[in-house]
Amino acid sequence: MDQNERLRLDDVLSKISAKELMGTELQESKLIYSVVGFIPACDMVDNALIISNLGYLLSQKGFNTCIVDLKVFNPNIYHYLDVKPSKRGHGLIRVLKSDKVDFREEIQATKYERLYVLSPSPHDLLEEYFDFEFDHLERVIDTLKGMFDIILLDIPNNPPLEFCLGAMKYSHVGFFTATERIEAPSNMVRMLDFASSVGISTAKFTSVILMNIQDINYDYKGFKEFGFNIVASLPLIKAAYAYSLEGKLYVRDNPLVNKYFLREMRRLADILGNQ
């Protein structure tokens, strides 16, 4: 792992206030920053591709890993992990509605050891998710922290939605995912400005994962000028998307994994696992 990249993320982690981390010392997990959020900054980003493969690498490191799909209007993580979609009214929405639900009945095991997923049902009605508040999401995340070593949150870029801002609030550390789009840095700034305006700390979301890099003349310095650090750069790999269509994980199932893609994915797993 590149030591400079590790130090950059350590700088971000050190900015997170003690108040936000209150109670983390009570976790059984050896990881301090166990709740990790991922937000897309622009078009052409596929968070599910990153999170599913990253979750597998973390599980292979021995961490009990739960991926939570908060894209309540268009869930897709279950497909990437080859898991059957939850029935209507089950999965994420059920644990949000009641604190008496047994999480073990709603969390789905994948075919990969130590890797689990909590997802909305694609059959749920959109309006069923309009009335949830931050407190509902906080309770779910707190419960998951007691069950798993690390939780990966797939966060929708929808600022008015509680599942977006709430996930940002309760993440210990987060990443923006971006492609080589001119609007990506400004989109991130606007998102953080809005989050800050409603009292959510933004220091934990200054790291960027670039994906679908195509070796074009893009001004990467623009991210640094806005105060963001690039911690990983993933090349565009058609095979990775082809495998996802079949519910397969590229870093596991493809015998000829692109070495640059694998290196960067392992870099991310090391950053999160070596705390």
Side-chain angles (χ1 to χ4, degrees):
M1 179 179 64
D2 190 323
Q3 186 64 24
N4 290 332
E5 301 294 347
R6 176 62 187 275
L7 292 175
R8 289 176 187 172
L9 189 59
D10 286 344
D11 290 340
V12 175
L13 299 179
S14 66
K15 296 177 184 178
I16 303 176
S17 69
K19 182 178 179 181
E20 291 176 292
L21 297 177
M22 188 177 298
T24 55
E25 68 276 4
L26 301 178
Q27 299 179 73
E28 295 181 0
S29 171
K30 61 184 178 181
L31 298 180
I32 299 175
Y33 307 103
S34 60
V35 182
V36 185
F38 299 81
I39 308 177
C42 57
D43 294 335
M44 300 175 64
V45 173
D46 192 340
N47 269 14
L49 178 66
I50 294 177
I51 296 173
S52 57
N53 283 277
L54 178 60
Y56 170 76
L57 292 177
L58 287 168
S59 70
Q60 294 303 294
K61 283 178 169 287
F63 296 110
N64 290 316
T65 305
C66 182
I67 298 175
V68 183
D69 194 342
L70 294 174
K71 305 188 303 297
V72 294
F73 299 149
N74 55 339
N76 65 348
I77 283 287
Y78 67 89
H79 180 77
Y80 284 69
L81 295 172
D82 196 24
V83 173
K84 291 183 179 180
S86 300
K87 297 179 181 179
R88 180 178 172 182
H90 288 266
L92 179 64
I93 196 169
R94 194 153 185 255
V95 297
L96 286 167
K97 284 183 174 180
S98 174
D99 60 359
K100 296 179 174 59
V101 172
D102 188 344
F103 274 61
R104 293 171 297 181
E105 296 178 356
E106 307 306 325
I107 295 172
Q108 296 173 281
T110 70
K111 59 186 177 184
Y112 311 108
E113 188 178 6
R114 294 183 296 273
L115 183 59
Y116 302 83
V117 61
L118 177 60
S119 172
S121 170
H123 308 297
D124 291 337
L125 300 177
L126 301 185
E127 57 266 29
E128 293 182 276
Y129 289 96
F130 290 157
D131 295 329
F132 291 114
E133 305 292 340
F134 282 5
D135 291 347
H136 297 98
L137 184 58
E138 180 182 21
R139 174 177 52 78
V140 170
I141 291 176
D142 282 344
T143 302
L144 293 174
K145 287 193 302 185
M147 299 173 65
F148 296 94
D149 296 315
I150 190 165
I151 301 102
L152 307 181
L153 305 179
D154 189 355
I155 306 174
N157 190 331
N158 187 353
L161 185 68
E162 280 73 7
F163 295 104
C164 174
L165 291 179
M168 292 181 69
K169 181 178 181 179
Y170 301 122
S171 294
H172 293 151
V173 65
F175 300 91
F176 274 107
T177 53
T179 55
E180 296 162 312
R181 304 276 295 189
I182 193 170
E183 71 273 15
S186 60
N187 285 351
M188 291 188 287
V189 170
R190 293 174 63 208
M191 169 69 87
L192 295 184
D193 284 346
F194 179 70
S196 179
S197 72
V198 294
I200 297 175
S201 173
T202 58
K204 52 193 172 184
F205 276 93
T206 55
S207 297
V208 180
I209 300 170
L210 290 177
M211 68 177 303
N212 295 332
I213 302 302
Q214 302 179 60
D215 194 25
I216 61 176
N217 187 25
Y218 185 80
D219 183 15
Y220 300 107
K221 294 180 181 178
F223 289 97
K224 293 185 178 180
E225 292 173 358
F226 281 104
F228 297 103
N229 294 317
I230 299 173
V231 296
S233 299
L234 301 166
L236 174 64
I237 304 296
K238 293 182 179 179
Y241 288 94
Y243 269 64
S244 69
L245 295 176
E246 301 175 13
K248 296 180 179 179
L249 295 177
Y250 177 67
V251 297
R252 177 188 183 276
D253 297 316
N254 193 317
L256 299 174
V257 178
N258 180 285
K259 65 179 182 180
Y260 299 106
F261 186 95
L262 184 60
R263 181 193 66 190
E264 296 299 284
M265 290 299 299
R266 284 177 172 169
R267 181 201 299 273
L268 290 173
D270 286 341
I271 286 174
L272 297 176
N274 298 338
Q275 300 178 24

